[in-house]
Amino acid sequence: MRAAVGRAQGRRGLIVASFRSPYNFRLTAGGWVSERTVGGLVSALEPVLKQWGGTWVAVRSSEHADLPAHLDVPLEQPSFRLVWVGLKEREVSHFYHGFSNRVLWPLCHDFWERCHFRQDYWRDYLGANARMAQSLGKASAPGDWIWVHDYHLALVPHMLRKLLPKSRVALFWHIPFPPAEIFGLLPWRRHLLRGLLGADGVAFHVPLWKNHFLETVSRYLPGAEVDPDAGRVLYEGRQTWVEAIPIGIDVQSYQPTAEHVRRSLQLRRGLRKRQVILGVDRLDYTKGIVQRLEAFGRFLQLYPEFKRRVVFVQIAVPSRTRVPEYVEMTRSIEGTVGRINGQFTTEDWVPIRYIYRSLPTSELIPYYLVADVALVSPLRDGMNLVAKEYVAANAEGKGVLILSEFAGAAQDLKEALLVNPLNVEEVAHTLGLALRMKLAEKAERMARLRERVLRRDVFWWVEQNLGLLSREGRSAASAPVPRGAADGSPSRGA
Ligand code: GDG
């Protein structure tokens, strides 16, 4: 596909659609500034749009009501266009906080008992998807490729079929797709499946999620013909390719600079040269933060020789703070941190440092450098980019990655120490193993992990996804052209 993009004649545009805007905007004394929002989808796609150019259509949040309906972003060095879709407060509440975050999110992470199957949530989910489809219709020109992202916008591909019958549409599903018997609990399951199958290509991170989807379609969507070997569904006279394409990261931006190294040395001095275990997450019940803290407490009991010699740094970025389940989870994490620190703290040592805010990426990378162990232990995760970022930053090969076997990343990163995050004893012992691991073994494991993370980066992921749109009968010569490729310059810097 990279070659196909390079060969392409004429410039075609890429239009990305997601719920979340890639930037927040803040008014400072010097004028408006743009700051990248925190989350896996934006971390992956923003560098691509910056390099390729194109248009990103996203929902406008109420704080940005004073900004124009479209902007060239980032404001400091514009490289692509951001188009807002305006929704009323109630619509956002039902569509986003409600149907997306209290129905689809828990359902797809196998927390079905947390689902609130409310008709008013569904009505506004339908409405918001329709508005997004209309805005995409307006923002796109014939020949553009439309790439829809995530579970918030599952109905958009089918809606676009009606509005733009000739458009090419791909959808990437960033979270797990649950087993058929769990997805089947959704009262609107048929609408969702039909919505997704409006796309020419639907992709998931790993084969497990793809297979769950295909099985769900064959079980619950009458009239659909599923060919699991080919990864293809025929439905209502159209075909959809279904693929597993693991997301990668923008490797370049996690390569440590001299400033990152300087800052990491400063951090290490502040931590009195103790060994460091690191957790980094959006604060979410799927990330297993409470269970991870419990495992660290158990580790201190099982390995008392590590007391005062190790610090656990947990960075938790506030997320979905208007959803009651998240408020409750925040309290539960704070309670667990307090209990474990209360039990073990001494005059000159506090075992857990809990940072409840978002750090700029320039501050996050020094933490990746200083961490002897990254403990990435979600209960379920579509992929988990933190695991890949830690590996990318670890050029010296001195760190150890402990990874939940329930993260999509575990399918890719087999040289990590894999754990069941619910097995507190196992995680505690694995911490002991990681902190005692010999440098040679660490370096060997890390070298293998790095090889995979560096090869399958985010640009590889984009090309594979857009490649779905040029399969069988689709002309590769019509692929969107990265900035500069049409005039013969290379498609990417790396
Ligand atoms: C969804 C899926 C899938 C975290 N703290 C800070 C910060 N972060 C960044 C990390 C990383 C991103 O947020 C989190 O990405 P994840 O992949 O871990 O998780 P989700 O947000 O749940 O993402 C997930 C992903 O989509 C992509 O498809 O992997 O499975 O759930 O990039 O670095 N960034 C900054 N400061 C922080 O304090 N700047």
Side-chain angles (χ1 to χ4, degrees):
M1 176 68 192
R2 195 168 294 178
V5 169
R7 276 200 311 274
Q9 302 290 309
R11 183 175 287 273
R12 297 290 196 291
L14 175 63
I15 310 227
V16 162
S18 71
F19 166 76
R20 181 182 287 247
S21 154
Y23 301 103
N24 279 325
F25 298 92
R26 202 161 44 84
L27 192 55
T28 65
W32 287 95
V33 290
S34 28
E35 289 164 347
R36 194 166 93 172
T37 50
V38 172
L41 185 158
V42 171
S43 300
L45 274 174
E46 189 252 11
V48 174
L49 268 274
K50 262 182 164 172
Q51 191 160 327
W52 283 43
T55 302
W56 191 317
V57 182
V59 172
R60 182 207 290 261
S61 75
S62 52
E63 306 100 73
H64 301 142
D66 294 341
L67 288 166
H70 48 77
L71 295 163
D72 289 329
V73 289
L75 298 174
E76 298 72 18
Q77 200 178 353
S79 44
F80 63 96
R81 172 152 283 212
L82 173 62
V83 175
W84 302 110
V85 178
L87 295 178
K88 293 197 189 82
E89 189 82 2
R90 191 216 66 227
E91 284 176 307
V92 173
S93 168
H94 286 171
F95 148 65
Y96 177 65
H97 302 294
F99 199 79
S100 300
N101 291 338
R102 301 186 84 192
V103 178
L104 289 179
W105 178 268
L107 188 77
C108 290
H109 288 84
D110 300 352
F111 285 91
W112 58 269
E113 72 286 1
R114 287 183 183 245
C115 292
H116 297 258
F117 296 128
R118 283 172 42 172
Q119 196 64 33
D120 51 350
Y121 286 177
W122 167 246
R123 203 184 46 231
D124 281 325
Y125 184 82
L126 255 174
N129 272 251
R131 296 276 286 285
M132 178 58 89
Q134 280 154 9
S135 298
L136 282 166
K138 282 191 201 141
S140 68
D144 283 346
W145 284 14
I146 301 175
W147 194 10
V148 180
H149 286 267
D150 232 355
Y151 60 102
H152 314 93
L153 304 177
L155 307 178
V156 167
H158 179 76
M159 291 168 167
L160 284 177
R161 277 292 142 236
K162 296 195 170 151
L163 285 170
L164 307 168
K166 296 215 168 103
S167 62
R168 294 174 188 199
V169 181
L171 181 136
F172 193 87
W173 188 267
H174 288 259
I175 62 175
F177 200 92
E181 56 272 23
I182 293 194
F183 196 84
L185 298 173
L186 182 69
W188 308 276
R189 62 194 183 199
R190 244 190 244 182
H191 292 83
L192 264 282
L193 297 174
R194 193 178 60 154
L196 292 169
L197 290 172
D200 299 287
V202 176
F204 301 88
H205 289 298
V206 293
L208 186 63
W209 315 146
K210 167 189 162 185
N211 295 340
H212 284 164
F213 174 70
L214 290 176
E215 200 194 323
T216 306
V217 170
S218 54
R219 205 184 291 184
Y220 293 116
L221 194 63
E225 274 177 52
V226 175
D227 179 345
D229 298 327
R232 188 172 44 189
V233 179
L234 296 177
Y235 182 60
E236 293 184 337
R238 301 187 53 261
Q239 74 170 8
T240 302
W241 291 105
V242 181
E243 201 46 278
I245 308 174
I247 197 168
I249 59 166
D250 177 22
V251 171
Q252 221 52 47
S253 57
Y254 290 91
Q255 297 310 303
T257 61
E259 177 54 23
H260 293 138
V261 174
R262 192 193 63 75
R263 179 79 184 107
S264 73
L265 294 174
Q266 210 177 29
L267 280 176
R268 196 170 274 289
R269 277 196 299 277
L271 295 164
R272 306 255 195 102
K273 301 197 176 162
R274 293 181 165 113
Q275 284 189 285
V276 176
I277 301 167
L278 177 69
V280 179
D281 309 82
R282 255 189 331 94
L283 195 149
D284 198 291
Y285 54 83
T286 62
K287 301 289 182 182
I289 302 174
V290 169
Q291 291 80 354
R292 186 183 310 165
L293 291 164
E294 296 291 358
F296 177 65
R298 182 71 182 131
F299 160 77
L300 293 176
Q301 284 172 343
L302 289 170
Y303 298 85
E305 66 276 22
F306 277 100
K307 285 184 187 165
R308 304 177 64 224
R309 286 176 43 208
V310 68
V311 174
F312 178 26
V313 179
Q314 174 64 54
I315 300 170
V317 182
S319 173
R320 306 177 190 174
T321 45
R322 285 175 52 188
V323 179
E325 287 81 0
Y326 288 74
V327 176
E328 185 194 307
M329 175 59 33
T330 309
R331 280 205 208 103
S332 164
I333 291 171
E334 286 166 359
T336 313
V337 170
R339 181 166 46 74
I340 296 172
N341 275 345
Q343 189 180 348
F344 293 102
T345 295
T346 61
E347 218 172 275
D348 61 350
W349 173 61
V350 180
I352 302 172
R353 287 204 180 184
Y354 177 57
I355 303 173
Y356 178 58
R357 61 173 187 278
S358 166
L359 303 178
T361 311
S362 57
E363 284 286 305
L364 187 62
I365 293 172
Y367 275 102
Y368 286 150
L369 295 183
V370 91
D372 298 282
V373 177
L375 182 49
V376 180
S377 55
L379 306 179
R380 271 270 175 242
D381 217 331
M383 174 55 66
N384 193 293
L385 293 179
V386 170
K388 294 194 170 183
E389 292 164 7
Y390 178 67
V391 168
N394 230 278
E396 289 188 21
K398 290 185 187 159
V400 181
L401 173 64
I402 302 181
L403 180 58
S404 161
E405 57 189 79
F406 306 134
Q411 311 275 314
D412 248 9
L413 304 179
K414 300 225 186 283
E415 290 80 13
L417 299 179
L418 298 183
V419 291
N420 172 353
L422 292 167
N423 186 340
V424 168
E425 294 294 308
E426 183 192 28
V427 178
H429 283 298
T430 308
L431 280 171
L433 187 73
L435 289 168
R436 288 172 167 167
M437 192 180 281
K438 297 269 185 303
L439 189 57
E441 183 180 349
K442 289 189 200 178
E444 194 183 322
R445 284 176 183 271
M446 195 49 85
R448 297 216 181 137
L449 292 170
R450 285 177 64 75
E451 193 272 317
R452 198 110 12 91
V453 168
L454 269 51
R455 184 161 44 85
R456 289 179 164 198
D457 67 359
V458 72
F459 296 96
W460 171 87
W461 174 74
V462 172
E463 287 164 4
Q464 296 296 311
N465 274 279
L466 296 183
L468 284 180
L469 297 181
S470 50
R471 272 199 197 165
E472 203 181 82
R474 295 293 197 190
S475 155
S478 305
V481 184
R483 189 196 310 288
D487 53 13
S489 51
S491 64
R492 48 177 296 208

